[in-house]
Amino acid sequence: MEVSVLNISGKETGAKVQLPEAIFGVQPNDHAIYLDVKQYLANQRQGTHKSKQRNEIAGSTRKLYKQKGTGGARAGNIKSPLFNGGGRVFGPQPRDYSFKLNKKLKQLARRSALSYKAQDNSIVVLEDFSFDTIKTKNYAKLVSDLNVATEKTLLVLPAANNNVYLSSRNLKKSKVITADQLNTYDVLNAGKLILTTGSVKLLEEAFAK
């Protein structure tokens, strides 16, 4: 798939880049996408939720009243889950929600997501660029010139660029990552995928491994 390369003003530079069919032209596998997105979301969970069990509640362990003859339910002490302020039954405990996936399956999921974007003509290729200063209006002008200001955009850079990243951070619909951070969830969540010529080369090398 051949795509014209644009500059940051949204104009064609005359150059063209070939998006490899092995990455951007595969038959998408929806189940692989589902598993990869599920893993990504699971890995974002902190798992720090916690409730106190009966043995963690501060309070007397004295039996409240005699076992029989009161006409009510038997209760051990004030820390019983039956009472206000008592321990919680089967409450949440800190845990790790992450799980592992096969490397080839994850690569298939990313190829599938990128292929979906290619099928929808939702990929824009820019020449490599940088900003001299950190200004939100610079990035806002970039997405405006590319006619994608109203869509969610994902810009993939070949390497970390603090000026570009910080310039985009205040724009809710814009996200900037590096090629080695590319994941299925972010690709599918974006309306337009913006690649630079350098990031295309890095993706080709990464998927060839």
Side-chain angles (χ1 to χ4, degrees):
M1 179 180 178
E2 197 172 61
V3 180
S4 297
V5 179
L6 308 179
N7 59 24
I8 58 174
S9 298
K11 297 178 180 178
E12 292 190 9
T13 62
K16 292 186 181 294
V17 65
Q18 188 71 30
L19 298 180
E21 287 292 318
I23 301 174
F24 297 88
V26 304
Q27 178 64 37
N29 187 311
D30 291 338
H31 187 62
I33 289 175
Y34 161 74
L35 290 174
D36 199 21
V37 169
K38 182 179 178 182
Q39 186 204 40
Y40 175 84
L41 294 176
N43 290 348
Q44 305 309 302
R45 299 184 69 175
Q46 292 185 346
T48 54
H49 41 17
K50 173 74 170 68
S51 68
K52 287 188 176 181
Q53 308 299 316
R54 183 169 181 165
N55 64 326
E56 298 172 304
I57 298 292
S60 172
T61 58
R62 182 180 65 85
K63 190 168 176 62
L64 296 177
Y65 42 79
K66 63 181 183 178
Q67 181 83 347
K68 297 182 179 179
T70 61
R74 301 167 180 177
N77 56 53
I78 198 65
K79 298 194 287 186
S80 169
L82 301 174
F83 300 122
N84 245 347
R88 185 171 174 184
V89 181
F90 303 127
Q93 294 291 314
R95 57 168 288 192
D96 181 11
Y97 287 91
S98 64
F99 61 93
K100 293 183 179 181
L101 282 181
N102 184 284
K103 180 181 176 181
K104 288 186 177 180
L105 187 143
K106 290 177 70 68
Q107 282 199 345
L108 174 59
R110 290 179 190 137
R111 283 193 177 103
S112 298
L114 292 170
S115 296
Y116 269 131
K117 288 299 174 188
Q119 289 175 12
D120 296 338
N121 293 319
S122 298
I123 297 178
V124 177
V125 179
L126 294 181
E127 62 183 1
D128 291 324
F129 71 98
S130 181
F131 293 151
D132 296 329
T133 56
I134 301 171
K135 287 188 178 178
T136 301
K137 68 178 183 181
N138 288 344
Y139 198 88
K141 183 178 185 304
L142 169 65
V143 293
S144 177
D145 289 343
L146 295 176
N147 296 318
V148 293
T150 59
E151 299 185 60
K152 283 186 176 181
T153 60
L154 176 67
L155 172 62
V156 184
L157 298 174
N161 186 311
N162 211 39
N163 286 358
V164 175
Y165 170 72
L166 293 177
S167 297
S168 71
R169 196 167 55 171
N170 287 335
L171 300 175
K172 291 183 178 179
K173 293 186 177 181
S174 299
K175 185 170 184 178
V176 175
I177 62 174
T178 56
D180 60 347
Q181 296 172 328
L182 188 75
N183 63 80
T184 305
Y185 178 83
D186 282 340
V187 171
L188 293 176
N189 198 42
K192 286 287 184 180
L193 177 63
I194 306 173
L195 304 173
T196 66
T197 52
S199 62
V200 171
K201 291 178 181 177
L202 286 178
L203 287 176
E204 190 172 3
E205 292 172 4
F207 281 103
K209 294 179 181 178

